[in-house]
């Protein structure tokens, strides 16, 4: 029998009260199952982030790739929109079943075309590269951005350019979580340097991106919907969904009434003024696959 002390055996001196834990703030994210079926069934297109939304550990997973195929086979427009560089995006634009990839936070798009557009150099597949800025503006901004990048490297301890920088044409990127690690104070310092130089700056799950110009992910989405399909995104915003995972997706979450975060977004939830409306149970590519299933089977059970 276990020993159980009697009242007289208990200490007579009062003990310090146990610390009281602060209750966690309730989540503002609704489970994906609360996304109304009629809204899911009326969609015409899907915009999605790439890193840590479609990809897991840097690569697209079979279930996420199958989800892209299924969405396209069902007749939906599918457009990844990313802070990654246009050079990095070329293999995906050739291989994935998507209408286009909008890269560098909305400034440039790669469009796979089967009707005979000019191929990119050293590329057997047909791709069209579209820009929001003209060539002279891009050249001037590129020179200015390299100067800002060097300032960041000089002034912020531990700062390093993202390894994909060679493929960038219209922005710069500092690595904070892909191959390097920058603590929050240094991330904030990088953002501050970029902003003092007149740049836009956003923080993704892996990089800090900076650029000159009025474009962003939302402007890029509006632009590509108009350029490719002649569609006014704002006029039919209820018929599109955006899927993302990080703080740099907030402009999309704020604008799209149908916005979904894959489950790994919870690590950023406390930092977000504009979180997504819904959240998946699965993280990264598995979460995107859950979103696709919810869209394609609006009458079925949603994870």
């Amino acid at each position: 029998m276990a020993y159980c002390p009697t009242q007289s055996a208990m200490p007579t001196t009062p003990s310090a009260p146990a610390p009281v834990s602060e209750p966690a703030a309730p989540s503002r994210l609704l489970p994906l199952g609360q996304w109304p079926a009629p809204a899911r069934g009326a969609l015409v297109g899907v915009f999605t982030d790439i890193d840590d939304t479609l990809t897991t550990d840097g690569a697209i997973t079979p279930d996420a790739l199958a989800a892209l195929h299924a969405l396209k086979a069902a007749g939906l427009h599918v457009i990844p929109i990313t802070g990654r560089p246009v050079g990095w995006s070329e293999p995906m634009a050739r291989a994935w079943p998507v209408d286009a990839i909008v890269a560098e936070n909305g400034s440039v798009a790669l469009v796979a075309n089967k009707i005979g557009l000019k191929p990119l150099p050293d590329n057997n597949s047909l791709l069209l590269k579209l820009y929001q800025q003209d060539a002279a503006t891009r050249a001037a901004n590129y020179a200015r951005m390299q100067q800002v990048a060097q300032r960041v490297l000089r002034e912020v301890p531990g700062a390093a350019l993202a390894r994909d920088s060679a493929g960038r044409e219209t922005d710069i990127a500092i690595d904070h979580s892909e191959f390097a690690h920058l603590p929050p104070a240094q991330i904030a310092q990088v953002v501050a340097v970029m902003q003092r130089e007149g740049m836009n700056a956003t923080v993704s799950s892996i990089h800090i991106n900076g650029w000159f110009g009025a474009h962003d992910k939302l402007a890029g989405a509006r632009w590509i919907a108009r350029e490719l399909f002649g569609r006014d995104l704002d006029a039919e915003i209820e018929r599109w969904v955006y899927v993302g995972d990080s703080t740099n997706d907030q402009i999309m979450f704020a604008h799209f009434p149908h916005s979904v975060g894959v489950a790994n977004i919870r690590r950023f939830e406390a930092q977000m003024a504009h979180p997504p409306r819904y959240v998946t149970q699965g993280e990264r590519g598995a979460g995107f696959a859950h979103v696709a299933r919810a869209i394609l089977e609006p009458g079925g059970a949603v994870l």
Side-chain angles (χ1 to χ4, degrees):
M1 179 181 294
Y3 171 70
C4 180
T6 63
Q7 183 67 32
S8 60
M10 296 294 288
T12 57
T13 54
S15 57
V20 178
S21 300
E22 289 291 330
S27 175
R28 295 169 290 171
L29 313 180
L30 298 175
L32 188 64
Q34 293 190 28
W35 189 7
R40 289 182 267 137
L43 294 177
V44 297
V46 179
F47 286 103
T48 178
D49 180 56
I50 293 180
D51 282 299
D52 292 324
T53 301
L54 282 176
T55 65
T56 303
D57 296 328
I60 192 165
T61 52
D63 54 351
L65 185 58
L68 292 177
H69 278 284
L71 289 166
K72 282 301 298 171
L76 280 85
H77 299 303
V78 182
I79 304 174
I81 185 163
T82 179
R84 286 285 195 172
V86 63
W88 178 94
S89 302
E90 286 179 17
M92 282 75 77
R94 292 196 303 268
W96 291 357
V98 297
D99 295 283
I101 292 181
V102 180
E104 301 185 22
N105 285 292
S107 69
V108 54
L110 289 168
V111 183
N113 194 309
K114 312 296 189 237
I115 313 173
L117 293 172
K118 220 187 217 179
L120 293 173
D122 303 320
N123 191 335
N124 293 324
S125 295
L126 296 177
L127 286 175
L128 177 66
K129 193 186 290 187
L130 305 176
Y131 294 96
Q132 289 220 60
Q133 297 172 332
D134 61 36
T137 301
R138 296 198 305 274
N141 287 344
Y142 185 86
R144 293 170 65 198
M145 289 187 300
Q146 305 320 302
Q147 295 174 352
V148 178
Q150 291 307 308
R151 179 182 171 189
V152 168
L153 298 182
R154 287 194 308 269
E155 296 184 8
V156 181
L161 291 174
R163 291 192 189 180
D164 63 12
S165 292
R168 294 184 178 276
E169 298 184 22
T170 62
D171 76 347
I172 56 175
I174 302 297
D175 189 346
H176 71 76
S177 290
E178 187 175 25
F179 300 103
H181 174 71
L182 277 185
Q186 274 69 41
I187 293 174
Q189 190 178 355
V190 173
V191 170
V193 170
M194 291 178 173
Q195 291 177 337
R196 282 197 297 270
E197 292 284 353
M199 301 182 81
N200 297 293
T202 63
V203 181
S204 75
S205 61
I206 54 173
H207 294 162
I208 308 153
N209 296 89
W211 67 91
F212 293 109
H215 57 272
D216 52 32
K217 281 191 170 185
L218 179 57
R222 288 169 169 148
W223 166 64
I224 205 65
R226 183 176 63 251
E227 288 289 316
L228 294 190
F229 316 122
R231 306 189 80 119
D232 182 341
L233 183 61
D234 291 312
E236 57 176 29
I237 196 67
E238 294 274 355
R239 303 196 69 192
W240 295 78
V241 62
Y242 181 75
V243 189
D245 76 294
S246 188
T247 54
N248 73 328
D249 295 310
Q250 289 187 91
I251 191 168
M252 303 294 270
F253 294 151
H255 190 75
F256 282 72
H258 306 303
S259 61
V260 183
V262 288
N264 41 296
I265 200 169
R266 291 193 183 278
R267 67 185 173 126
F268 298 113
E269 184 179 358
Q271 306 168 31
M272 303 183 80
H274 302 288
R277 183 159 180 80
Y278 305 103
V279 66
T280 64
Q281 285 188 3
E283 295 191 348
R284 299 175 172 84
F288 183 83
H290 294 167
V291 177
R293 192 176 305 120
I295 295 168
L296 297 171
E297 303 172 12
V302 177
L303 291 175

